[in-house]
Amino acid sequence: MPSSTKTLYFLLSALLTAISIGLLGFAMSTTWSKTKMDCEGSGINGTAGSAEITMGLFNGKLIRVSCPNFGSEDSFSVFPELLRIEVTPRVLHGLCLGLLGLCFLTSALSILVSLYNSVSNPYETYMGPNGVYTCSSISAFSSVLVLIIYVLNHILTKMQEELVPSIAEIPDTSVTLTHKRLEVKIGYFLLIPYAVLSLLAILLVYLYDHAAYTHRREQERPTEDAPKEIMMY
């Protein structure tokens, strides 16, 4: 049976990872970004309007004011609309979802390994501390990649400019969208504490593993020094 210290450290690691999964689940269900654009075209009395797209990972909302004519509000599903525009934005968005799915999987595996170590005393294999290191590291690294890819997809591609005429079913030539302004929302920012908690789960296991290794070395030292002491007599 493992010591109470080992049980405590691995249970705390599992708890931190479980909290991070809860944050990730909430993040994936809420809003990630809001993009505002000026709409120049056949607006009312020739005035310029505006378009605003609020997006989560799966659903979004488009609000148009004089773009190109009367205002309206449309809800949409992200992936079906991405299939109607150029390939790059939907590939990057799909990559984000795939990496988030990997985060879920590796975090769940990290919890299982931590719980297993809290009630058993295995050898140093993939079911030991190395399992937690590997799974939680993949989780943290994947979430950081999502942070980068998601913003790049919104800034460097013309996803929003193409989504507006696609969702509103208006000709691309009817409006010109300019001055794009991106505002990331809570769903995006929740990936930061998710990554931090994954790294803290690694730190807890490392602290225990390092202390246990140091303790083992201290116990072995008298045995290693015994022959030297005998030879001195």
Side-chain angles (χ1 to χ4, degrees):
M1 290 295 293
S3 65
S4 58
T5 302
K6 179 182 180 181
T7 298
L8 177 62
Y9 272 85
F10 277 93
L11 283 179
L12 286 175
S13 177
L15 177 61
L16 289 177
T17 308
I19 294 173
S20 72
I21 287 182
L23 286 176
L24 182 60
F26 178 72
M28 294 181 68
S29 66
T30 190
T31 305
W32 277 57
S33 66
K34 178 187 289 186
T35 306
K36 297 179 181 179
M37 294 163 283
D38 295 332
C39 185
E40 300 174 356
S42 55
I44 300 176
N45 297 325
T47 59
S50 64
E52 178 182 290
I53 295 182
T54 303
M55 288 182 60
L57 293 175
F58 306 102
N59 298 293
K61 181 173 65 175
L62 168 64
I63 299 176
R64 292 182 296 121
V65 178
S66 299
C67 184
N69 37 51
F70 299 103
S72 69
E73 182 176 320
D74 302 287
S75 298
F76 63 94
S77 296
V78 173
F79 254 109
E81 292 299 333
L82 289 178
L83 291 174
R84 300 169 61 180
I85 63 175
E86 67 178 33
V87 67
T88 302
R90 66 173 177 265
V91 169
L92 293 178
H93 191 79
L95 181 58
C96 288
L97 288 179
L99 289 171
L100 290 173
L102 181 61
C103 289
F104 263 116
L105 177 61
T106 52
S107 291
L109 289 175
S110 180
I111 291 175
L112 291 177
V113 174
S114 295
L115 291 177
Y116 175 74
N117 280 271
S118 69
V119 296
S120 65
N121 205 19
Y123 294 104
E124 292 294 326
T125 63
Y126 60 90
M127 288 300 291
N130 290 337
V132 178
Y133 299 155
T134 302
C135 293
S136 294
S137 296
I138 293 174
S139 300
F141 180 70
S142 298
S143 62
V144 172
L145 281 181
V146 173
L147 289 173
I148 298 171
I149 294 172
Y150 189 84
V151 167
L152 290 179
N153 191 24
H154 281 66
I155 294 177
L156 300 183
T157 70
K158 294 185 177 181
M159 178 173 65
Q160 297 91 338
E161 292 92 331
E162 294 183 359
L163 281 175
V164 171
S166 175
I167 297 168
E169 297 183 348
I170 55 179
D172 293 349
T173 57
S174 299
V175 296
T176 301
L177 297 167
T178 60
H179 302 101
K180 180 169 64 176
R181 302 174 296 280
L182 173 65
E183 178 184 352
V184 290
K185 308 297 282 187
I186 185 171
Y188 177 87
F189 286 117
L190 283 176
L191 285 190
I192 298 175
Y194 168 82
V196 171
L197 288 173
S198 297
L199 294 176
L200 287 177
I202 294 175
L203 178 62
L204 277 175
V205 175
Y206 172 78
L207 290 175
Y208 166 78
D209 194 35
H210 179 70
Y213 174 78
T214 303
H215 180 66
R216 288 196 301 269
R217 294 295 297 171
E218 290 175 350
Q219 287 184 323
E220 293 171 358
R221 190 170 300 158
T223 304
E224 295 173 352
D225 295 340
K228 299 178 183 178
E229 295 173 357
I230 294 173
M231 291 178 66
M232 290 177 64
Y233 287 101

